[in-house]
Amino acid sequence: MRSIHDQRRRFEEGFATSVQGIFYVVLLWWCFGLVFDLGGAAYRSARLRSAAVSAAQDAAKYVDVAEIYRSDRLQIDAAAARSRAQAVFQRAMAGIPAEIVVSVQSGVLRDFVVVDARTVAPMYILRGFGMRDLTLTVHFAAEAVPGIEDEYQ
Amino acid sequence: MPAGIDLRPKKTCARPARPARPARSEISRLRRGERGDAEVFGMLSFAPVMMAIVALIAAAAIFRAAQTTAFAAARECARVASAHLDPGGGAAAGIAAAQTTLLGSHIPMAQVVIELSGHAGPGSEVGCVVRARLGFAALPLTGWFGLTDAVVRADASAVVEKHKSR
């Protein structure tokens, strides 16, 4: 009996060593996944944010001039603004699949262009740990502003 | 107890002499010592794998940081260039802005190429591409595993104001 116990203990000790080693390797691999995948997500997020801001700001420049003369109200040409925002966004996110929803909302004195952009950052390493992807969203609003408000502007 | 059975230990013939064996405690001690060696060897066999992953982590951290910096430089380049009406002046200012952004990051990049294109006055779209070679020489582990450098590329664009007059 005693020899069986000894033998089992010996096997278990060897097993414990392997498990410990594998655990450290897996832990390090997870750390690598965090750095690589979340770093990629951060890069994608920066791109998405930049693209959304550019799209909204560019779209907010499409002011309906005739409406200013008619009602003295700063109104955005919704169709032109939407198509412009789409074009700017797609160009800025070239190579990265992303979605954008552009809406023109009316304010008291002026209109706003509201951009909701969304992309999915794939997780190449963290997928093995149950995290398939990360959805990134950006919400940005740009206001239509008349050309000159201050001197020398 | 039935009568006639003798339970007293019987005298038997002497066995042939065995070769001398070490005591049980001695064997256990030797085995334990050898087992310790096996454990150390087992952990050491994992060491190169762990070192390779640590090298990957270091390289990935620098690469991702460089990628974000390169994109920031490209975006800054396009934005500054599009703020100028004059294409020549815009290009010079854009490239200078990109270089300043790259210098501010403290990430060692070599062979930096900044290309600016498309500036043709109001309404045109200015594109900026930043390419750089990222060296991992400062990290000793990465060199051991063949990771010496990587190329970082980022692009951005901006539109020159349509009704820009100056």
Side-chain angles (χ1 to χ4, degrees):
Chain A
M1 286 300 282
R2 185 170 181 169
S3 66
I4 290 171
H5 278 305
D6 281 353
Q7 211 170 0
R8 189 196 283 175
R9 202 174 297 152
R10 267 206 307 281
F11 285 150
E12 283 174 354
E13 275 173 14
F15 189 62
T17 308
S18 302
V19 166
Q20 204 177 8
I22 290 167
F23 171 75
Y24 287 135
V25 168
V26 170
L27 188 71
L28 281 172
W29 189 245
W30 178 73
C31 289
F32 171 61
L34 277 184
V35 173
F36 188 79
D37 287 342
L38 295 188
Y43 169 70
R44 204 166 266 218
S45 172
R47 265 196 97 126
L48 181 75
R49 185 173 171 72
S50 173
V53 168
S54 301
Q57 285 178 345
D58 243 40
K61 290 172 188 167
Y62 282 74
V63 173
D64 192 344
V65 181
E67 186 64 28
I68 295 175
Y69 288 120
R70 203 165 35 241
S71 63
D72 200 23
R73 192 176 168 282
L74 207 57
Q75 191 172 314
I76 291 172
D77 183 353
R82 270 198 205 97
S83 67
R84 180 65 188 163
Q86 293 271 3
V88 170
F89 184 79
Q90 295 303 335
R91 208 165 32 237
M93 293 294 286
I96 299 174
E99 295 166 12
I100 184 173
V101 177
V102 186
S103 59
V104 177
Q105 295 179 6
S106 298
V108 179
L109 289 175
R110 52 187 69 156
D111 286 357
F112 296 87
V113 174
V114 179
V115 166
D116 284 293
R118 179 178 169 276
T119 189
V120 174
M123 301 283 121
Y124 301 106
I125 312 291
L126 293 181
R127 181 171 296 187
F129 297 91
M131 192 175 177
R132 294 187 67 79
D133 46 43
L134 195 65
T135 304
L136 307 165
T137 54
V138 167
H139 177 86
F140 192 79
E143 188 184 18
V145 174
I148 299 169
E149 289 190 334
D150 294 318
E151 203 175 2
Y152 302 118
Q153 199 172 32
Chain B
M1 182 186 296
I5 299 175
D6 186 8
L7 292 175
R8 283 177 301 178
K10 291 175 183 172
K11 288 181 181 176
T12 54
C13 301
R15 287 182 179 173
R18 283 183 177 176
R21 276 181 70 179
R24 181 176 277 272
S25 62
E26 183 72 9
I27 293 171
S28 301
R29 200 175 59 78
L30 285 171
R31 204 177 281 161
R32 265 205 306 278
E34 283 172 359
R35 207 180 300 152
D37 283 351
E39 279 178 19
V40 170
F41 181 77
M43 286 308 289
L44 276 179
S45 63
F46 281 111
V49 182
M50 290 182 190
M51 283 164 72
I53 300 175
V54 168
L56 276 177
I57 291 171
I62 291 184
F63 179 77
R64 289 305 192 194
Q67 210 176 17
T68 310
T69 304
F71 175 65
R75 192 181 52 195
E76 199 61 14
C77 169
R79 192 187 65 76
V80 170
S82 69
H84 284 69
L85 201 57
D86 167 40
I95 288 169
Q99 282 170 341
T100 308
T101 308
L102 290 175
L103 280 175
S105 74
H106 301 292
I107 294 173
M109 291 194 211
Q111 300 169 20
V112 178
V113 178
I114 302 165
E115 286 170 1
L116 206 133
S117 60
H119 198 318
S124 63
E125 188 186 336
V126 183
C128 188
V129 179
V130 173
R131 266 195 304 268
R133 190 168 285 278
L134 188 64
F136 298 127
L139 306 168
L141 283 177
T142 52
W144 296 352
F145 296 103
L147 277 170
T148 51
D149 56 6
V151 176
V152 177
R153 185 189 181 281
D155 62 287
S157 62
V159 179
V160 182
E161 200 73 54
K162 199 174 182 182
H163 302 292
K164 194 172 178 63
S165 57
R166 59 181 171 167

